[in-house]
């Protein structure tokens, strides 16, 4: 008999693990729905040309392609492109600003390595406007993440949401005379936490950054802390480029709205860039305090034009995305969540068939009160039945025989 | 600007539709979880040889295939094969009988036609034993469906769960001397509700069924109604083949357990065969009364050996499956569900930025009480804001200005 082997790069969780995974997913989903985000459940496949219209090299290499009839199809590699296509098809019928919750899997045929999955859950909350989108929605997305992680961690771990602004950085680089190399410089800054200080300086030098500029960049990206502190320091820089002024204005507005929302875990941190090209204003990342080496567990930002290829209208948006499959792995590795037995609240073990009716009725009653229950139908020995109770992860067990049926009372015992 | 067009065969629901879809899904999922079924979230892709090991012609033609690196991959076309592979890989760690809930999409590249989707949700509840599985679990799966549809329809529609047994039918055909042609005859009987009486007789005649045998088959498959009635009539047939006796015993046991569970919508109906080859005992289908032409909205049955290709152990199982995407379409077409506006319970409309803090605080308070709320950040005219309230599907709206902030009170108005 040949043994079946799982494909690597695909989570394939056992019941107890799945129960914990689902609990985390539910916290995220409930937070989305509570705040008026509406579920979008995208198709898995799209015409290849539509799905890849805006994509570059890595995505092109990683996307899963298939063919059926005459149509070249490809599988979604994120949840953003499907959303853009959906909005393009339905813009007349949708109410804007549109708040969308997507909790769904995406696929990339990457080389399997630690922290990279081929099938992975994304939990995306996006707000999209037809035209201008007020900056308050940037704050709302950040506050949503604050709520989600506060609920998930319940005080067992601290986290920091680090906020910056792309225009602020661009305006700053422009003030240094690095406007033309801004894209390349930005990518190096994005890597600052992943490479050594020497490499960081070397790579910047290769872009033509001189000693003086390097000192100023280092000074800039080290700015982090409360909005008040960072803004006070930024003022002393006396930078007057348009992007800098606009970016600072946006960041101030976002942080003011967050203050009004009394978020507890948000700081300004100008080292945050976010690799993706399409961000144009607010950007943010989240780290677990003391576990910064695991990287960001939530990130997002603002984009200017979501539906560029398929609509003449301009759709501004802001979104916050949690990579749930990766988050689950991190939380298990760091022991910030515990995979526990995950059986029913109460398992009935009828001694024999005469006890079935009693168990069925009691079970129904408890379920109507919101409990989860199960009945073990089996003619095996009681010891085997108790073994099942333990292995299935049931919290409590009740053994039902003649005495219990006659008296209508039964004892429950904790097994897990 | 080119217009993006949806692929046919994929549901791509708008927010109000999705909300109704999700409500139905939640009813099914909660019923599964309440009774101790545990979620399994299968990978989308498998090695082609593993996925298709047991499959025949149609499936082979319809399956979506892809290639990545050296591995030939295929996309799941149902949820049963992935579950079998999962059990094969993890049999030591799992507790049996294993109750599994799968609510997930499957894919078949069929020619698009009414009632056939390429991407479709299945909601499967399966109980799998290592070795013998008691017949009480067949009853449990049927009772689960009774619960789900009672909750979904809330008395607005009636439904009938029709139960039969494969062995009973085989034993009956054997008693007619049709044992060797049983498979072919069974397939024709399975189609009896889809073809004309003339075609039915003609096709059976082609299998060598004579007039006398035809009369007896017709008489047999017309047996339907309460267990007592059907069993009484079956006794008068005086059939003594082993399969008939075993099948009747199984059917009696299942119906007895269902009686004890006081299910209201279950009958015996010997016209039920179920097309799929792998069923070996109990089989069942469900129809909506007065909408029988839409076909079965839930079906399932018992199989003898789920994991045949990958384990030396024998795994008996029974399962009940709801084709949720198709069910949703049927319920919308028959107007048994209504797609309604699906916005938040209360939408706050701040008159200007001064009202933001008040709205944020009230919103937080209501959300902590379990309400869904939203705040419309916008500097457009009030008329535009109210238009949004209506289009977004909000149930109530509260306009917040200076008076409301000063008094701490506000009116709510129903808009949807």
């Amino acid at each position: 008999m040949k043994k079946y082997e799982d494909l690597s790069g695909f989570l394939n969780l056992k019941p107890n693990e799945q129960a914990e995974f689902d609990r985390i997913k539910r916290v995220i989903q409930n937070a989305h729905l509570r705040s008026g985000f509406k579920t979008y459940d995208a198709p898995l496949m799209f015409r290849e040309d539509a799905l890849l219209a805006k994509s570059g090299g890595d995505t092109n290499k990683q996307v899963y392609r298939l063919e059926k009839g005459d149509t070249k199809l490809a599988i979604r590699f994120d949840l953003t492109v499907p959303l853009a296509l959906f909005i393009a098809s339905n813009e007349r019928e949708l109410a804007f600003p549109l708040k969308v919750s997507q909790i769904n899997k995406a696929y990339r045929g990457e080389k399997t390595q630690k922290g990279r999955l081929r099938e992975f859950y994304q939990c995306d909350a996006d707000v999209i406007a037809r035209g201008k989108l007020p900056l308050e929605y940037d704050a709302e997305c950040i506050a949503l993440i604050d709520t989600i992680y506060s609920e998930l961690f319940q005080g067992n771990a601290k986290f920091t949401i680090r906020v910056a602004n792309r225009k602020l950085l661009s305006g700053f680089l422009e003030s240094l005379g690095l406007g033309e190399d801004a894209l390349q410089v930005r990518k190096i800054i994005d890597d600052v936490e992943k490479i050594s200080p020497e490499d960081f300086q070397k790579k910047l030098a290769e872009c033509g950054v001189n000693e003086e500029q390097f000192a100023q960049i280092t000074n800039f990206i080290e700015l982090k802390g409360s909005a008040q502190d960072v803004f006070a320091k930024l003022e002393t820089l006396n930078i007057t480029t348009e992007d800098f002024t606009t970016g600072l204005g946006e960041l101030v507005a976002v942080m003011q709205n967050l203050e009004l929302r009394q978020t507890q875990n948000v700081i300004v941190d100008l080292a945050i860039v976010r690799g993706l090209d399409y961000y144009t204003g607010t950007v943010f990342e989240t780290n677990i305090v003391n576990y910064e080496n695991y990287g960001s567990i939530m990130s997002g930002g603002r984009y200017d034009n979501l539906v560029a290829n398929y609509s003449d209208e301009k759709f501004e948006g802001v979104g916050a995305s949690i990579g749930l499959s990766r988050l689950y792995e991190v939380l298990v590795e760091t022991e910030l969540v515990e995979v526990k037995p995950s059986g029913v609240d109460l398992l009935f073990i009828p001694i024999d068939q005469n006890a079935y009716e009693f168990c069925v009725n009691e079970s129904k009653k408890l379920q109507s009160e919101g409990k989860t229950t199960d009945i073990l139908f089996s003619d095996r020995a009681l010891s085997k039945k108790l073994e099942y109770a333990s292995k299935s992860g049931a919290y409590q067990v009740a053994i039902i025989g003649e005495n219990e049926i006659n008296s209508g009372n039964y004892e429950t015992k904790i097994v897990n």
Side-chain angles (χ1 to χ4, degrees), chain A residues 357-376:
Chain A
E357 186 166 4
F358 183 88
C359 293
V360 163
N361 289 335
E362 283 300 313
S363 197
K364 214 180 267 182
K365 209 178 82 190
L366 290 172
Q367 287 190 16
S368 74
E369 293 165 6
K371 294 267 192 301
T372 60
T373 67
D374 199 1
I375 306 166
L376 180 60

Side-chain angles (χ1 to χ4, degrees), chain A residues 50-61:
Chain A
L51 196 70
L52 295 174
K54 288 173 85 174
S55 306
D58 268 7
T59 304
N60 264 309
K61 264 180 251 157

